[in-house]
Amino acid sequence: MIILDYSDYFYKNVAKTAIPPVRSGKFVHILSPESEYLIFSPKLLSPYHADIVERFCNQHEIDGYYDKGQYVYIIHDNRWKVLGGGKWLMDDREMVLNLFDDSKAYGKFDSIGMVDKITSDIRFSGYKIFLDKA
């Protein structure tokens, strides 16, 4: 699993401040033909899950369109699937990551195997991962 976090971009380039040790936002889980992605975005950068999908697709030159009426970004290539989404809360001091809730546009994220996938990323080594706890 490839984990992307738009916090670095948002806090350094948009908010022009240091990344706070406690932050939150929305996330999406995307499956591609070669890999899967878990993408975190601060809530001020991405009010809707579709905003995250749109940014990701633009960065990876994946064709699609944003249905503003439904707040959903539709990927044209059916080999790419948005598997779901939710909200996240990360506390770097306590080394805790909570994933919870769901996406109105893309549905509930699949939590099966998620803890192992996240903790296999060196950035989350030693973190306590909680699923479905607000």
Side-chain angles (χ1 to χ4, degrees), residues 28-42:
V28 293
H29 185 193
I30 297 178
L31 183 65
S32 81
E34 294 84 31
S35 190
E36 63 183 307
Y37 299 83
L38 188 63
I39 309 159
F40 299 108
S41 187

Side-chain angles (χ1 to χ4, degrees), residues 47-51 66-73 103-106:
Y48 299 101
H49 289 95
D51 299 329
Y66 200 136
D67 181 338
K68 299 284 185 175
Q70 299 296 314
Y71 298 104
V72 63
Y73 190 86
S103 164
K104 289 184 174 91
Y106 303 107

Side-chain angles (χ1 to χ4, degrees), residues 4-5 11 18 25 31 34-35 39 71 80 83 96 106-108:
L4 303 174
D5 185 351
Y11 287 104
L31 183 65
E34 294 84 31
S35 190
I39 309 159
Y71 298 104
W80 289 82
L83 300 177
V96 170
Y106 303 107
K108 181 105 182 102

Side-chain angles (χ1 to χ4, degrees), residues 95-111:
M95 296 180 72
V96 170
L97 173 64
N98 292 329
L99 302 181
F100 58 96
D101 214 352
D102 59 9
S103 164
K104 289 184 174 91
Y106 303 107
K108 181 105 182 102
F109 69 97
D110 184 0
S111 62

